Amino acid sequence: MTFDVKRVRAAYPALSDGYSYLDGAAGTQAPATVIEAIAGAYRAGIGNVGGVFPASGRSGSIVAECRQALADLTGASPDGVILGPNMTTLTYRLAETLSRSWGPGDEVVVSRLDHDANIRPWVQAAARHGATVRWAEADVATTELPAAQYGELICERTRLVAVTAASNVVGTRPDVAAIATAAHAAGAAVYVDGVHATPHVPVDVRALGADFYGTSAYKWSGPHIGTVVADPALLETLQPDRLAPAPAGVPGRFERGTAAFADLAGVAAAVEHLASLDPAVSGSRRERVLASMAAVEEYETRLFARMLDGLAAMEHVTLYGRAARRAPTAFFTVAGHTPGQAAGHLAARQVNVWNGDNYAWELAGVLGLRDSGGAVRAGLVHYNDEADVDRLLAAVAELG
Ligand SMILES: Cc1ncc(COP(=O)(O)O)c(C=O)c1O
């Protein structure tokens, strides 16, 4: 397993601006290959799909290659890859569709660990159809989402369990497979938010037990495109609203209007970028993605320990997030400074971080941070290095 961060950083034009990009949890930079793939699509000439001329055919090929790339990234079938603008839009669309058959007495389970994009669409859909919402609680002290509680929460009336594969603020990676097993035993579907997990770990939707898995390419070096992947046979059972002349098949009937074709070329390039992060591995792209993401996980875990140890040593810093398994994302407050002030100080030191609840709105409430401006979020991705971490630590130390 090799990880050459110098080589990786050289692939990203934006990283030469002198800033430390610790804002990857809100969106990553794009490597030159992704930028070129998008520009290349426009340069070659693209048209809308379904026409009889070559430029239209090129867009059709881009869509097919994008579905295959996302299948390679997640372990799904390309025929079950739904493409859209972002995870939130697609989740609302699926909530609208799935909830059609819900009624009084039916139940859905959401978690307080999740980003609001995997909570509110389900809560609002349940309210529209008279279904009951049950809440899985995050433990305040450990920020774990104990899987054992799902035994109590799930019953034969449960229709859907929505849970994140990783918290976008405290990084907690719950035992999704155990939760999915409990859900499936009761006949419920499992909707997994993979937006924060996908950039950090190898993903296998079947091993997770995810009936639906959402992820957004802009969190893993791609353009602003989202996807939800599912078993095509499951999608066949669902009828989303669609225009009369629009594609009736799967997955096309879940996609609305004209796609961002050039960006989709960038998504495939981003998956190829991830697959090439460990150049020592060979094999199919799926095999290279799995091996490269294992190398990424190991590299980020090591770098994250440096960040956490440094922050934990500062008396003026309060760290949130103690889960045993977590993505490399730190969430902290700084005594005497609002999160906005602290982030502003870091920006002046050329360190990009986020402040606020980052839409983990329920969790911010659990942690008592919702009304005080949230916290500072500093997250690592595979292009960050020790210099980024050390600059963050030096700048936070100045606030003491
Ligand atoms: C964990 C998580 N889920 C969902 C979302 C929403 O994703 P999108 O912006 O693609 O709608 C985000 C975005 O920050 C996120 O971090």
Side-chain angles (χ1 to χ4, degrees), residues 87-96 99 102 108 110 115-128 160 191:
M87 179 272 188
T88 303
T89 301
L90 290 174
T91 303
Y92 262 118
R93 196 173 300 167
L94 282 156
E96 195 184 289
S99 64
W102 299 353
V108 298
V110 294
H115 185 287
D116 219 52
N118 201 28
I119 298 176
R120 219 56 54 191
W122 307 114
V123 169
Q124 291 164 352
R128 265 197 306 279
L160 182 113
Y191 194 99

Side-chain angles (χ1 to χ4, degrees), residues 352-367:
N352 296 346
V353 295
W354 273 94
N355 60 284
D357 59 45
N358 302 291
Y359 281 30
W361 194 74
E362 294 289 344
L363 187 65
V366 170
L367 297 175

